[in-house]
Amino acid sequence: MSLKDYQQKRDFSKTPEPVGEKEPVKSSPLIFVCQEHYATHHHFDFRLQSSDPLAPVLISWAVPKGPSLDPGVKRLAMRVEDHPKDYSGFEGEIPPGEYGAGTVSIWDKGSYQMEDFPTIEEGLAQGAFSFTLYGEKMKGRWRLVKMQGENWLLIKGKD
Ligand code: MN
């Protein structure tokens, strides 16, 4: 897990997005965020905090249609570069010409807990894992399932 790709894509003298400095270690619950992003194509960005407390990042997926609360609906979620942990608080305008130019707002945010694996890193390696979200809109059990390459499916589980 590294922020190299994230930082290389952005000019932090122009975008108000966080640089992603190293943070002091603290044992707080793992967080998730779902941001709505009006870029070239409107989409949602779903992010789950990594479990390494020394280098916390947000493992990220772009979800073109956004999460569905219906367990019968699978939503394409494309894995994108890891983002800094403090990106979970980011809302605002990414200036024209910058990577991801457009408006970002927080659609939902809260803590999460892994279900079938102790860490998200193990879940990612297995290519399918369940987790419980404690957000305002996204609650209860969810699942991410890898299809091919960076393409995953985000599915609401049955509670
Ligand atoms: Mn985005």
Side-chain angles (χ1 to χ4, degrees):
M1 303 290 163
S2 152
L3 293 174
K4 207 173 85 200
D5 289 351
Y6 172 85
Q7 288 164 340
Q8 278 177 351
K9 285 182 178 181
R10 291 167 173 82
D11 180 348
F12 294 102
S13 67
K14 292 181 180 153
T15 179
E17 296 167 290
V19 179
E21 314 280 18
K22 286 231 161 73
E23 286 189 32
V25 179
K26 32 182 195 221
S27 59
S28 43
L30 297 172
I31 53 161
F32 86 91
V33 65
C34 186
Q35 282 151 320
E36 188 169 15
H37 190 177
Y38 286 90
T40 313
H41 299 282
H42 171 245
H43 63 275
F44 291 77
D45 292 296
F46 180 68
R47 312 186 197 279
L48 294 169
Q49 184 185 338
S50 63
S51 51
D52 179 3
L54 292 170
V57 295
L58 299 174
I59 297 157
S60 300
W61 290 264
V63 186
K65 293 185 176 175
S68 170
L69 305 180
D70 178 351
V73 177
K74 301 176 170 77
R75 287 287 160 83
L76 175 65
M78 295 173 287
R79 178 106 187 253
V80 296
E81 76 273 21
D82 296 340
H83 278 51
K85 189 182 168 219
D86 49 2
Y87 208 95
S88 66
F90 177 73
E91 293 191 287
E93 297 285 332
I94 300 169
E98 294 307 298
Y99 185 77
T103 306
V104 175
S105 61
I106 296 171
W107 187 74
D108 199 14
K109 188 179 172 178
S111 62
Y112 86 94
Q113 195 180 307
M114 288 294 289
E115 293 299 338
D116 37 12
F117 297 102
T119 67
I120 187 169
E121 289 77 9
E122 285 165 85
L124 291 167
Q126 289 300 315
F129 59 96
S130 298
F131 47 95
T132 297
L133 297 180
Y134 301 93
E136 294 294 319
K137 296 170 182 150
M138 300 180 79
K139 296 177 190 196
R141 225 177 154 96
W142 291 73
R143 192 161 174 79
L144 272 161
V145 179
K146 191 172 186 171
M147 297 193 299
Q148 243 186 5
E150 301 304 316
N151 288 348
W152 293 65
L153 293 173
L154 177 64
I155 311 156
K156 176 75 191 75
K158 292 185 181 118
D159 293 309

